[in-house]
Amino acid sequence: MRKPVTLITGANGEIGHGLIDYFAEQTHQEVVGLDLKPLDKKLRARCSAAIVGDILDENLLQRLVSEYEIHAVYHLAALLSTRAEYTPDTAHRVNVDGTLNLLKLALEQARWHGNPVKFLFPSSIAVYGLPDLAVKRETERIREIDWNFPTTMYGCNKLYCEQLGRYFTLHYRQLSAERVTSGVDFRAIRLPGLISADTLPSGGTSDYASEMIHAGAQGRPYACFVSAEARIPFMAMPDAIKALVVLAAAPVENLTQRVYNITAFSPSAGEIRDRVMAAFPAAEITFEPDAPREAIVNTWPADVDDSPARVDWGWQPDYDIDRAFDEYLIPGISRLYRGAGSETET
Ligand code: NAD
Ligand code: AKB
C-alpha cells in the first residue's frame, strides 16, 4: 500500500524549515522532504522520509511516485535571484525544468489516485521589473498584472512557471479528444523578501535584511550591499508559512486567480538598520552598495497590492513591522546566538 503524503521539494531551505515544523506541530500530515542537501537532523525526525536528491533526476521522481501516494506538492526547490545570475543556465534547468518535472509528477499522481493534487508554488516579487526609480516611486501598490518585465533569470523563471502552472490546471491538452482535467490544482503566491528568526538566507538579493539582523545579534560588523534608501516588501517567515497553508486549504471556487501577491511591511534598508541598532546598540552596520545587486532590488516594487488574496482566501499578515521585530525577529535571533558573545533581549 502506498502512503498518502505531502511532498516538499527544497525541504532543507528556509521555507522548508518553517513548513516542516508547521506540519509537525499543527497537523498530522505525513511529509516526504526532498533536497539536494541532507535535511537537518531535526527536520528528518519530522518527516516520514527525507530524501537526498535532485528534482532534475527523473528516475528519482519515478521512484517517489511508485512508493508514495502524493496529494499535495509544496515545490520550494529553486536557485534564488543572486545565485541564478551567476549560473543562469543551471538556474533555468532547476527553476524551470525542475518545476515542469514536478508538475508532471503531480499530474501522474492525480490520474493514478483520482483526486486533485494541490501544487503550491512560491513565486516572488522578482517577477516584476520596474524600469527606473522614478517609476518605482510613482507605482504605489503594484497589481499582479502590472510590470511583469523581470530583469533577472530567476524572475523570468518564476513568471514562466506561474504560467506553466496555470496551463497545467486550466488548459492542459486542450485539443485532446477526451478533454479531461489534469487534476493538478496549481496555486502560487508572489512572496516578498522573507526574514526568518531560525535560518539565514543565501543566494537571494533580499538577503540584506536578514543578514543585517543576524550580524547585529552576533556583534559582527555588516556592510549592507544596497543603499539606505532601497525599499522592497518583506515578511516574517511565520506569515509566509501561514499564507501557503491557508491558500492550500482555500476552496477552489473562491479563487478568482491562480497567482496572488501578498505582503506585510515595506521598510527601507535604512529603517531596518535603525531597528537593528535599537535592539543591538553595539552593532556596526554600514552601507556599501553593490551597484548591480542594488539595481536588481530597484527593479522590484516598493509595495504590492494584495487585495485579491485578502478577498479570495482571507489573507492577512499576523506580523506588522513592530510585531515582527519586537516579538519574533529580535527575541528569536538573540536566542540563536545567546552564549556566543551577542546581545540578548531583556
Ligand atoms: P532556500 O535557498 O533556503 O532553499 C531552497 C532549497 O532548494 C535549498 O535547500 C536547496 O538545497 C534546494 N535545491 C536547490 N536546487 C535543488 C535541486 N535541483 N533539487 C532539490 N533541491 C534543490 O530558499 P527558500 O528561501 O527556502 O525559498 C524556497 C522557495 O521560495 C524558492 O522557490 C524561492 O524562490 C521562493 N521564495 C523565497 C523567498 C525568500 O525570501 N526566501 C521569497 C520569494 C520566493
Ligand atoms: C531573492 O532575493 O531571490 C528571494 C526573493 C525575493 O524571491 N528572496
Side-chain angles (χ1 to χ4, degrees), residues 12-289:
N12 199 50
E14 288 208 283
I15 299 185
H17 275 76
L19 200 55
I20 290 172
D21 286 347
Y22 175 88
F23 284 142
E25 286 157 20
Q26 309 288 333
T27 73
H28 300 290
Q29 293 188 50
E30 300 279 338
V31 168
V32 171
L34 167 66
D35 202 292
L36 266 187
K37 299 185 199 132
L39 265 64
D40 293 350
K41 199 169 161 205
K42 181 176 157 236
L43 292 186
R44 282 205 301 272
R46 297 189 144 192
C47 292
S48 312
I51 297 165
V52 180
D54 191 332
I55 55 167
L56 296 176
D57 179 350
E58 296 192 31
N59 291 331
L60 168 68
L61 298 184
Q62 278 308 317
R63 216 184 74 214
L64 281 184
V65 166
S66 69
E67 282 177 28
Y68 300 99
E69 187 179 304
I70 297 167
H71 287 263
V73 179
Y74 288 75
H75 174 42
L76 311 180
L79 296 196
L80 276 66
S81 54
T82 292
R83 189 161 296 153
E85 282 314 296
Y86 288 111
T87 56
D89 288 1
T90 309
H92 193 278
R93 273 195 295 280
V94 173
N95 296 350
V96 175
D97 299 351
T99 300
L100 183 60
N101 285 348
L102 268 301
L103 284 165
K104 289 192 290 191
L105 175 148
L107 182 128
E108 199 179 320
Q109 281 289 290
R111 295 214 162 147
W112 179 74
H113 58 58
N115 294 304
V117 172
K118 298 251 176 83
F119 194 104
L120 274 295
F121 182 69
S123 188
S124 165
I125 50 165
V127 301
Y128 295 111
L130 294 160
D132 53 48
L133 280 174
V135 174
K136 178 164 172 161
R137 273 184 220 107
E138 281 158 22
T139 308
E140 290 195 343
R141 303 188 76 220
I142 207 163
R143 296 173 306 162
E144 283 88 349
I145 51 163
D146 295 328
W147 293 108
N148 285 188
F149 304 116
T151 65
T152 60
M153 175 53 98
Y154 172 76
C156 294
N157 298 162
K158 289 290 186 190
L159 190 57
Y160 172 64
C161 287
E162 291 176 355
Q163 298 301 325
L164 207 50
R166 277 186 60 255
Y167 167 74
F168 265 75
T169 294
L170 303 174
H171 307 293
Y172 186 73
R173 293 218 164 162
Q174 56 196 289
L175 298 183
S176 76
E178 311 101 70
R179 288 295 334 252
V180 287
T181 58
S182 72
V184 178
D185 182 353
F186 177 86
R187 302 170 180 208
I189 298 182
R190 289 182 181 167
L191 293 168
L194 303 180
I195 318 179
S196 169
D198 303 317
T199 51
L200 253 172
S202 74
T205 316
S206 64
D207 295 4
Y208 60 87
S210 307
E211 288 171 356
M212 225 187 271
I213 312 170
H214 281 259
Q218 289 172 284
R220 277 192 296 109
Y222 180 72
C224 179
F225 61 79
V226 298
S227 58
E229 295 73 36
R231 189 185 296 277
I232 54 169
F234 283 100
M235 178 174 290
M237 186 59 83
D239 270 334
I241 304 302
K242 178 177 96 161
L244 285 167
V245 297
V246 171
L247 176 58
V252 71
E253 58 276 14
N254 291 3
L255 305 183
T256 57
Q257 50 198 61
R258 289 282 162 177
V259 178
Y260 289 92
N261 280 340
I262 60 166
T263 190
F265 44 85
S266 281
S268 68
E271 286 159 6
I272 298 172
R273 175 191 177 272
D274 293 346
R275 286 182 182 264
V276 174
M277 295 305 301
F280 308 109
E284 276 178 58
I285 294 165
T286 51
F287 291 95
E288 291 178 24

Side-chain angles (χ1 to χ4, degrees), residues 280-344:
F280 308 109
E284 276 178 58
I285 294 165
T286 51
F287 291 95
E288 291 178 24
D290 174 78
R293 266 184 120 184
E294 175 154 12
I296 290 176
V297 167
N298 287 343
T299 67
W300 294 352
D303 199 1
V304 301
D305 178 357
D306 60 4
S307 45
R310 288 175 186 259
V311 172
D312 290 2
W313 46 278
W315 160 248
Q316 203 181 322
D318 289 333
Y319 292 88
D320 62 11
I321 190 162
D322 289 333
R323 184 159 183 237
F325 274 81
D326 299 346
E327 295 182 28
Y328 171 65
L329 295 170
I330 301 299
I333 294 175
S334 299
R335 257 193 311 276
L336 268 187
Y337 302 113
R338 188 174 286 152
S342 62
E343 293 253 5
T344 56

